[in-house]
Amino acid sequence: GLQAAPDAIAGAITILIDRSGSMVNKPDGVNRRIDLALDGVKRLIEGMPPGTQLTVAGFHGQGKVLTCEPLVQQQIGPNPAADAAALFK
């Protein structure tokens, strides 16, 4: 998996997640696209250095009209894996 270097300096990151209707499709016949995306986000968070300011936002819409709303805004604590697990129960 992904892992920050032990001497990594925490910064800020924003992750945008597509929440359109197509995200319920199952490209592999089993898992919904949204579940696959959230699993990927969870793995990213697990590898972030403590202190990283995280924003996760979802977007949806039609054509050129999109709506975007923050879903999570928090600082990653000393145990990023625990933070990731708590965010995506």
Side-chain angles (χ1 to χ4, degrees):
L2 298 172
Q3 184 64 42
D7 59 350
I9 298 172
I13 188 167
T14 298
I15 299 171
L16 296 175
I17 298 175
D18 182 352
R19 296 182 68 205
S20 66
S22 68
M23 293 301 283
V24 298
N25 294 339
K26 297 178 179 179
D28 62 3
V30 178
N31 300 294
R32 299 179 308 161
R33 286 180 177 169
I34 189 67
D35 296 325
L36 296 169
L38 292 175
D39 285 345
V41 170
K42 181 179 174 185
R43 287 193 308 274
L44 281 172
I45 294 169
E46 289 171 349
M48 288 181 184
T52 300
Q53 185 62 42
L54 172 68
T55 300
V56 178
F59 69 92
H60 58 90
Q62 291 184 324
K64 294 182 180 181
V65 179
L66 295 177
T67 301
C68 185
E69 61 268 333
L71 304 172
V72 172
Q73 291 180 309
Q74 79 173 55
Q75 188 172 27
I76 300 299
N79 185 343
D83 288 341
L87 289 174
F88 299 103
K89 289 181 185 179

